[in-house]
Amino acid sequence: KNEVEQSPQNLTAQEGEFITINCSYSVGISALHWLQQHPGGGIVSLFMLSSGKKKHGRLIATINIQEKHSSLHITASHPRDSAVYICAVRSVDSNYQLIWGAGTKLIIKP
Amino acid sequence: DTAVSQTPKYLVTQMGNDKSIKCEQNLGHDTMYWYKQDSKKFLKIMFSYNNKELIINETVPNRFSPKSPDKAHLNLHINSLELGDSAVYFCASSQRAGRDSPLHFGNGTRLTVT
């Protein structure tokens, strides 16, 4: 079992839908990262959070430290949101190295 | 202005060859990384340098040798390439090693070994 699990693995939705991607982890962490990998391959950091909630445009990230769970939400989804979304945690149990989830492939259809 | 740039973007080569991938960051960051993304899309840390000093060296074959001439550059040299080395390699940087620094990634180098 991976220390960082994302769900779903794949998600296809219609433009305008509200999207939720989940990340669960089993280690102690100092921070959790959400990143986006575009079809062209580039990786962009979206959020880094250690508690509560952060918002940037149509993207919202939340984390519940007690439940070891984070969600990434996309409101009013658009085809340009199509990408792989990756969760990574900075583990206090592994000398603060990043442990990566496998990613969630999101496709937004027009 | 590209913050983290790596070259080449694509690299196709034959088994047994030696090749290098270059990475430069203009963010003034102290820490640079090399990641390998395998076919299952997992990102695996290979090396991390902080101010030109090696701080993470995961279990990778010693055919892989990182070189950091200064803190803005971290190059990856691979000797005697094998089929299993085919992957996408990402360079990244962060302001400082460890806890709370966001990562900035290069666009990746797709290496294909034939």
Side-chain angles (χ1 to χ4, degrees):
Chain A
K1 188 177 177 354
N2 293 328
E3 292 163 304
V4 179
E5 295 275 358
Q6 287 187 234
S7 62
Q9 285 187 324
N10 295 282
L11 179 57
T12 300
Q14 291 296 130
E15 183 173 357
E17 287 188 38
F18 181 81
I19 303 298
T20 296
I21 299 171
N22 296 300
C23 176
S24 297
Y25 52 92
S26 57
V27 295
I29 70 168
S30 62
L32 182 144
H33 296 251
W34 281 104
L35 304 101
Q36 179 192 54
Q37 185 168 23
H38 282 285
I43 300 175
V44 175
S45 179
L46 298 175
F47 296 103
M48 183 182 68
L49 65 166
S50 55
S51 65
K53 175 178 167 179
K54 287 190 175 180
K55 185 174 189 289
H56 182 69
R58 294 179 295 106
L59 299 177
I60 304 166
T62 64
I63 188 168
N64 185 317
I65 297 295
Q66 287 74 29
E67 295 185 3
K68 296 191 172 183
H69 181 268
S70 175
S71 293
L72 177 68
H73 305 286
I74 305 174
T75 61
S77 59
H78 190 277
R80 65 174 175 266
D81 298 325
S82 299
V84 175
Y85 292 84
I86 306 171
C87 169
V89 301
R90 196 163 297 278
S91 167
V92 300
D93 303 325
S94 303
N95 199 26
Y96 293 96
Q97 289 196 43
L98 277 174
I99 303 175
W100 297 82
T104 294
K105 185 173 182 179
L106 174 66
I107 298 173
I108 303 295
K109 293 186 174 181
Chain B
D1 290 342
T2 303
V4 181
S5 59
Q6 54 182 110
T7 55
K9 188 172 173 65
Y10 299 98
L11 184 52
V12 180
T13 189
Q14 291 185 325
M15 283 176 58
N17 285 346
D18 303 339
K19 291 292 178 186
S20 292
I21 308 172
K22 295 185 176 181
C23 180
E24 176 182 4
Q25 54 96 4
N26 62 7
L27 296 166
H29 287 171
D30 288 335
T31 308
M32 296 185 72
Y33 311 82
W34 275 109
Y35 283 91
K36 179 180 180 181
Q37 188 172 40
D38 61 24
S39 57
K40 293 185 179 179
K41 301 297 184 184
F42 278 102
L43 278 159
K44 296 181 181 178
I45 184 75
M46 299 175 70
F47 302 102
S48 175
Y49 270 71
N50 188 59
N51 276 323
K52 301 194 297 175
E53 289 190 21
L54 181 66
I55 56 171
I56 295 175
N57 183 3
E58 289 298 306
T59 306
V60 299
N62 57 15
R63 299 180 294 104
F64 290 79
S65 53
K67 293 281 192 304
S68 182
D70 55 60
K71 75 173 193 177
H73 295 83
L74 181 61
N75 304 322
L76 184 65
H77 189 76
I78 316 170
N79 289 326
S80 302
L81 278 154
E82 300 178 357
L83 292 175
D85 298 331
S86 296
V88 181
Y89 293 84
F90 285 95
C91 176
S93 72
S94 64
Q95 192 167 12
R96 59 186 182 277
R99 309 184 191 191
D100 299 321
S101 300
L103 286 167
H104 296 256
F105 282 85
N107 287 328
T109 295
R110 183 176 293 277
L111 171 64
T112 303
V113 182
T114 61

